[in-house]
Amino acid sequence: NADVGTVEVHSFTVDCAVRSRFARTIMTSTAINKGNAAREISFEVELPKTAFISNFSMEIEEQVYVGQVKEKEKAKQQYDKAVSAGKTAGLVKASGRKMEKFSVSVNIASNSKVTFVMTYEELLQRTLGQYEIVIRVKPKEPVQEFKIVSNIFEPQGISYIDAHATFLTNDLLPLVEKTVTDKKAHISFSPTIEQQRKCPDCPGTIIDGDFIIKYDVNRDKNLGDIQIANGYFVHFFAPKDLTRLPKNVVFVIDRSGSMSGTKMQQTREAMIKILEDLHPEDHFGIIKFDSSVDSWRNSLSLATEENISEAMAYVKKIAHRGSTNINAAVLKAVDMLVTDREAKRLPEKSIDMIILLTDGDPTTGETRIPVIQENVRNAIGGNMSLYGLGFGNDVDYGFLDVMSRENKGLARRIYTGADAALQLQGFYDEVSSPLLLDVDLRYPDNAVESLTTNHFSQLFNGSEIIVAGRLTDNDIDNFPVEVYGQGFEDFSEIGQFSAVDWSVMYPEDDYIFGDFTERLWAYLTIQQLLEKSKTGAADEKANATAKALDMSLQYSFVTPLTSMVVTKPEADDSPMIADKLTEEQRQQAERSGGVSYYRPSTPPTYFVDGD
Amino acid sequence: PHFMIELPDKNDALCFNINDKPGTIFNLVRDPVSGILVNGQIIGDKKIPPDGVINTYFYRFGITHWTLGVRLEVNTEFITVYQGGERIKLLWSAPSSLKGPNVDMVLTKDRSLMVTLKDSVKFVILLHKVWEKHPYHRDYLGFYTLDSHLLSPSAHGLLGQFYHGIEYEVSDLRPGEVPERPDATMFVKGQQLNVTRGWQRDFRNDVKNGENVPCWFIHNNGTGIIDGDASDYIVSGLF
């Protein structure tokens, strides 16, 4: 992003390396100021919000300025000090739905060159049976050397891989090169400067959008796969061919006034699709609520064709009104499931779940959030899963997140937009096929330490459980593993793994695994500590936060607790800071982003005056 | 003072009044991220009008931009700008303009002051001059935000909270106390409010008569549409 004509963006390259789901992406850009005066050049990229920035550097006049990860509060003090002195130019943070924006700018002297290098790392999550790598590229002008390269190493073997981009035209399509062998894939895309142009000699570039790689790995062993490197191990568990468990699900739908219009319409659309997709052996119930709570039927119904069609007719008539009593609605759903279970109306081997959809804070009945959380926790008593869907930007997402986590579930944000109904369906697809409950992965106590979470309340079809830890014995030959879970058939597998010889598996690339397994372990540990820092007793939260901060600093990750400080060459006390947004900040940014994006040609006016 | 939230993309507007004791200072905009603070002080009529209702108006605004190091005081008599240890005083009676690295101002004699604070906000303050010997009324000011999209999502205050947009739905239109002003039910921020169709005046193009803008009027000092209540926005000083 530069002053076109005097500043030439010489190169932009993206190098993404994946080693067993752990992806490290390095974005490099070089620009030259060919003008007679100094120019400001900015480097602006977007990265997935699940990623942590781990490095950033600028090279100017052969001098390299490297970012340093610092505790957020300390970085902020430094930043504030510079701001008050009027000497700084950049705060680095912004966000989108799936991505976060990183941008810095720096003044470059005449006839000088600057090279920006940014690295981010993330653990790819398996969703609906595949991993997805998203690389967003938005150069303002054609670039002399433009290249996206991805090398994927998966010791389990790659079962399929697909690469496409939102900006690919028929002319560009053949430029995506894909080489796949059993355990390794190489994908590259490198259009020439002419191929990037919208038309010969016209300005602008067609390269603007997402380059997306999707793949999955082979799953030969039911016990999963264990990989050991440099004293750390990681266990990937996603058995295939398990019979899904029938589920008993109560949909709790907010119909308060704020759901009016598009949100209510999208909810109805999504519910119709979700009802269509229910398995015949599932039971379901529907509760709608505002200040009052009404249920479709007093108990759950089997998903027969007739029942589904009656439920659809009911859903089509849900209309908005009134305020929001979340407490009463969720407790009613719990009561319905408990009563049906006690009356033996539900299959013994089945899973109970509540899916709550709301777009706002509780405003009537019990409105104290900690009390609602306690009421729900006590009522559920660990016997069912609660999933919270937060619709739009006025929802207290933290409240839903904590309440869902406390009840073996998870929360998801549904963004207001044309595709909201699809987002609702997508979430349902993810959680609609439970395979196992109470999954326990056990390793020998004397051989492992610093283990990440090894107990999971459920495993869904198409997802994956990952556990990592440190080995106390580097020369481990036989690593015993046990996995237990409750499913249609109870799952119990015991086996042994050995460390593979990477130089045999990847004779030309045996060095590649290096610190990846350790960093995967660190990433996973930090993510789980950040989650723990939101629930539980105050001292446990503080403890988890402190540990997450320590590890973020140790592994140089920009997490919500740290910032990366880059000292600009102009002055020692004018740093630039890369931050990681918290979910709450992301919500705020979304809110503002929406307003900015949808800003009509006549801007809104807000005024105060008198008659 | 009457507050107006014009929403051209909805072809609609919301309005409400906020009144309190003369002398009260309200926070209108506060954005800790970009460092903006706008406070305004109200004044009452010279004496109690025949209908017994004391109307209040803004007559002094304090505008601070911490990060740019800019401070402005605008009252019905003059404008003071503090920047980098420098103090500049402008009189409403003298047209002038000021172009600096962080702030641009254009003053139209006895009428308006347009202010642009670098990379943050653009607003205009209107001066309503009232006949000096008017038995009840006196000069007052209006504050119009023209561009706030660069402010952060943390922006709040009586006006600032609406910079992020607002979702509402109006239904159940029914006859009101006055036939031309029907009542309706508004669903906003999870609440159900009784609102009345009315209009308020936008004086930007015609400072004397204003233009009527139809709007949904929210009663009781904006209760339900503003976060908290009006007293939550009272501050102790102009800066």
Side-chain angles (χ1 to χ4, degrees):
Chain A
N1 177 11
D3 189 355
V4 178
T6 50
V7 175
E8 184 181 288
V9 181
H10 187 258
S11 69
F12 181 73
T13 61
V14 181
D15 183 351
C16 173
V18 183
R19 317 280 187 260
S20 294
R21 292 53 147 185
F22 195 67
R24 179 180 292 160
T25 305
I26 304 171
M27 291 184 159
T28 310
S29 184
T30 300
I32 301 161
N33 176 10
K34 291 187 167 175
N36 296 325
R39 287 273 181 273
E40 188 170 76
I41 299 180
S42 61
F43 173 72
E44 190 175 295
V45 294
E46 290 183 51
L47 56 143
K49 67 183 187 185
T50 46
F52 292 154
I53 292 172
S54 56
N55 201 6
F56 176 72
S57 68
M58 293 183 293
E59 184 181 340
I60 302 165
E61 305 279 343
E62 294 178 359
Q63 176 89 31
V64 182
Y65 305 88
V66 183
Q68 258 191 312
V69 171
K70 295 190 175 182
E71 188 178 343
K72 193 169 235 167
E73 280 309 307
K74 285 184 185 159
K76 192 171 176 301
Q77 282 168 19
Q78 196 174 348
Y79 176 76
D80 288 346
K81 197 175 144 199
V83 166
S84 61
K87 283 179 178 169
T88 190
L91 180 71
V92 190
K93 61 178 176 182
S95 92
R97 188 185 289 190
K98 279 186 169 178
M99 311 292 275
E100 285 182 355
K101 196 182 285 174
F102 171 91
S103 63
V104 292
S105 56
V106 65
N107 267 312
I108 300 301
S110 166
N111 290 314
S112 291
K113 186 172 89 169
V114 57
T115 300
F116 299 100
V117 184
M118 193 192 64
T119 308
Y120 61 82
E121 295 172 58
E122 64 176 325
L123 180 58
L124 304 177
Q125 281 181 354
R126 188 166 182 257
T127 307
L128 301 173
Q130 60 190 15
Y131 307 99
E132 186 178 83
I133 302 164
V134 179
I135 296 163
R136 185 161 292 177
V137 281
K138 288 172 172 279
K140 294 271 159 74
E141 288 293 318
V143 177
Q144 280 195 5
E145 188 195 348
F146 180 93
K147 198 193 295 179
I148 296 173
V149 180
S150 181
N151 287 296
I152 299 168
F153 297 85
E154 288 290 353
Q156 279 170 265
I158 295 167
S159 61
Y160 89 94
I161 189 158
D162 178 49
H164 73 279
T166 53
F167 49 80
L168 278 188
T169 58
N170 284 342
D171 293 339
L172 290 180
L173 203 54
L175 302 179
V176 179
E177 288 178 15
K178 197 164 78 173
T179 316
V180 187
T181 55
D182 176 28
K183 294 178 167 55
K184 185 173 159 183
H186 172 85
I187 289 166
S188 68
F189 174 65
S190 178
T192 64
I193 194 163
E194 291 310 319
Q195 287 166 328
Q196 295 168 49
R197 290 189 202 284
K198 287 181 175 164
C199 56
D201 299 325
C202 63
T205 170
I206 49 177
I207 309 292
D208 182 356
D210 292 344
F211 191 86
I212 301 163
I213 300 168
K214 292 177 179 177
Y215 74 95
D216 198 14
V217 300
N218 296 324
R219 302 174 186 279
D220 300 330
K221 295 178 203 152
N222 250 359
L223 199 52
D225 196 57
I226 291 221
Q227 290 160 22
I228 298 168
N230 290 352
Y232 288 82
F233 83 95
V234 57
H235 182 186
F236 301 100
F237 177 71
K240 59 179 183 182
D241 303 329
L242 289 184
T243 310
R244 68 179 288 284
L245 277 164
K247 64 178 178 298
N248 314 307
V249 54
V250 180
F251 299 99
V252 181
I253 301 167
D254 184 346
R255 58 161 168 183
S256 61
S258 52
M259 285 285 288
S260 67
T262 317
K263 282 191 220 170
M264 201 74 257
Q265 178 59 25
Q266 288 168 331
T267 303
R268 285 191 293 258
E269 280 170 26
M271 275 305 299
I272 301 277
K273 290 276 179 207
I274 288 168
L275 288 169
E276 272 174 13
D277 291 345
L278 280 173
H279 285 259
E281 69 272 25
D282 290 344
H283 284 72
F284 71 105
I286 302 169
I287 288 174
K288 57 182 184 182
F289 74 97
D290 51 282
S291 53
S292 63
V293 180
D294 299 320
S295 57
W296 169 51
R297 289 176 178 171
N298 290 333
S299 58
L300 280 83
S301 304
L302 189 65
T304 60
E305 248 178 69
E306 193 188 350
N307 284 337
I308 286 175
S309 116
E310 283 179 32
M312 281 180 180
Y314 178 80
V315 162
K316 280 179 191 162
K317 287 185 192 155
I318 298 180
H320 71 273
R321 65 173 213 197
S323 43
T324 314
N325 190 344
I326 292 177
N327 185 62
V330 177
L331 294 185
K332 168 89 180 162
V334 176
D335 183 54
M336 205 187 251
L337 281 161
V338 168
T339 309
D340 279 12
R341 227 345 119 202
E342 280 171 0
K344 300 199 184 304
R345 284 195 286 263
L346 304 174
E348 196 182 329
K349 283 205 169 178
S350 61
I351 178 171
D352 295 344
M353 58 167 79
I354 295 168
I355 297 184
L356 164 68
L357 172 82
T358 181
D359 76 330
D361 296 339
T363 55
T364 190
E366 180 56 72
T367 55
R368 291 165 298 174
I369 282 171
V371 177
I372 298 175
Q373 286 169 336
E374 191 186 342
N375 289 347
V376 171
R377 202 169 53 235
N378 290 341
I380 286 182
N383 296 321
M384 52 190 84
S385 302
L386 172 69
Y387 299 94
L389 290 169
F391 204 152
N393 283 322
D394 292 327
V395 71
D396 183 344
Y397 184 77
F399 157 55
L400 287 184
D401 188 34
V402 170
M403 190 163 72
S404 303
R405 281 181 204 286
E406 285 178 345
N407 294 290
K408 294 185 179 182
L410 54 101
R412 180 71 57 84
R413 187 185 295 294
I414 302 296
Y415 296 88
T416 319
D419 64 339
L422 282 174
Q423 296 172 54
L424 290 167
Q425 274 172 256
F427 175 80
Y428 177 75
D429 288 343
E430 279 177 47
V431 300
S432 64
S433 293
L435 298 177
L436 290 176
L437 300 177
D438 289 322
V439 186
D440 249 322
L441 300 98
R442 296 181 196 165
Y443 313 93
D445 287 343
N446 58 352
V448 300
E449 57 184 24
S450 306
L451 203 61
T452 59
T453 303
N454 64 332
H455 179 87
F456 296 82
S457 41
Q458 58 254 314
L459 170 73
F460 296 107
N461 193 21
S463 71
E464 181 177 62
I465 283 174
I466 302 179
V467 181
R470 199 157 48 197
L471 296 170
T472 48
D473 181 1
N474 276 342
D475 299 321
I476 195 154
D477 280 334
N478 290 306
F479 187 68
V481 177
E482 300 171 18
V483 182
Y484 301 97
Q486 297 167 25
F488 199 77
E489 303 286 332
D490 279 351
F491 186 93
S492 168
E493 291 265 346
I494 298 172
Q496 288 198 327
F497 288 87
S498 303
V500 296
D501 185 345
W502 297 112
S503 62
V504 174
M505 187 174 282
Y506 295 108
E508 292 166 7
D509 312 289
D510 62 322
Y511 58 90
I512 53 151
F513 274 78
D515 62 351
F516 266 72
T517 314
E518 180 177 353
R519 292 189 71 80
L520 183 157
W521 163 80
Y523 175 100
L524 197 55
T525 306
I526 292 169
Q527 286 282 27
Q528 291 175 354
L529 286 169
L530 289 171
E531 283 168 15
K532 275 186 200 158
S533 69
K534 293 181 197 163
T535 56
D539 57 334
E540 286 169 5
K541 287 185 193 175
N543 205 7
T545 307
K547 276 188 195 164
L549 173 61
D550 267 358
M551 285 191 66
S552 304
L553 293 171
Q554 188 188 343
Y555 285 90
S556 183
F557 281 135
V558 178
T559 68
L561 304 173
T562 53
S563 297
M564 180 168 284
V565 179
V566 189
T567 304
K568 281 172 69 175
E570 286 100 273
D572 288 344
D573 54 357
S574 62
M576 295 181 289
I577 292 178
D579 270 346
K580 180 92 189 155
L581 302 178
T582 61
E583 193 51 47
E584 288 71 26
Q585 290 167 325
R586 200 168 280 134
Q587 177 168 351
Q588 288 289 332
E590 272 298 321
R591 201 191 290 256
S592 121
V595 170
S596 169
Y597 181 76
Y598 292 112
R599 203 146 42 94
S601 50
T602 316
T605 311
Y606 314 91
F607 67 81
V608 53
D609 212 325
D611 285 320
Chain B
H2 71 247
F3 285 72
M4 171 82 93
I5 317 302
E6 273 191 326
L7 304 160
D9 56 342
K10 285 193 166 171
N11 196 22
D12 206 347
L14 307 176
C15 50
F16 54 93
N17 290 343
I18 301 270
N19 282 301
D20 208 303
K21 292 190 293 289
T24 304
I25 304 173
F26 285 108
N27 172 246
L28 299 180
V29 184
R30 173 192 294 274
D31 180 5
V33 176
S34 55
I36 293 270
L37 180 72
V38 179
N39 292 330
Q41 188 166 21
I42 55 171
I43 195 171
D45 287 325
K46 287 176 190 163
K47 58 181 181 180
I48 298 173
D51 61 6
V53 178
I54 290 200
N55 290 309
T56 54
Y57 311 90
F58 280 111
Y59 82 108
R60 246 176 111 204
F61 290 115
I63 297 132
T64 314
H65 196 310
W66 301 305
T67 35
L68 296 179
V70 176
R71 211 172 84 179
L72 273 104
E73 184 188 339
V74 183
N75 60 37
T76 49
E77 288 169 28
F78 54 83
I79 296 122
T80 318
V81 187
Y82 302 86
Q83 192 182 12
E86 209 184 348
R87 180 169 167 268
I88 303 161
K89 191 170 174 181
L90 309 173
L91 291 174
W92 277 109
S93 55
S96 56
S97 69
L98 185 79
K99 202 165 172 61
N102 295 325
V103 58
D104 287 351
M105 296 202 304
V106 180
L107 190 154
T108 307
K109 180 179 169 356
D110 284 337
R111 191 181 156 165
S112 68
L113 173 76
M114 172 101 76
V115 180
T116 308
L117 289 166
K118 191 187 172 195
D119 293 335
S120 47
V121 67
K122 185 176 179 179
F123 56 85
V124 65
I125 292 174
L126 297 188
L127 172 66
H128 295 270
K129 278 194 88 66
V130 175
W131 175 45
E132 236 181 69
K133 293 183 178 152
H134 194 291
Y136 301 107
H137 301 320
R138 53 175 123 214
D139 295 355
Y140 63 93
L141 301 171
F143 181 94
Y144 294 72
T145 318
L146 301 183
D147 191 346
S148 58
H149 83 280
L150 288 172
L151 292 191
S152 89
S154 309
H156 207 261
L158 280 172
L159 281 177
Q161 64 187 283
F162 298 103
Y163 293 168
H164 321 304
I166 181 160
E167 290 277 334
Y168 66 91
E169 199 77 23
V170 175
S171 62
D172 189 24
L173 204 68
R174 52 191 180 272
E177 276 180 25
V178 183
E180 64 272 27
R181 294 189 177 193
D183 282 349
T185 303
M186 176 179 283
F187 295 99
V188 62
K189 295 186 176 177
Q191 296 174 80
Q192 201 172 314
L193 308 177
N194 185 40
V195 294
T196 302
R197 193 65 178 169
W199 52 85
Q200 290 287 12
R201 277 187 284 175
D202 177 343
F203 293 98
R204 278 177 295 168
N205 295 325
D206 181 348
V207 79
K208 196 169 175 193
N209 302 309
E211 287 167 2
N212 279 342
V213 179
C215 60
W216 288 109
F217 182 79
I218 292 96
H219 301 266
N220 303 326
N221 271 4
T223 303
I225 196 130
I226 59 169
D227 292 337
D229 67 30
S231 63
D232 297 337
Y233 298 84
I234 295 176
V235 291
S236 55
L238 207 55
F239 294 102

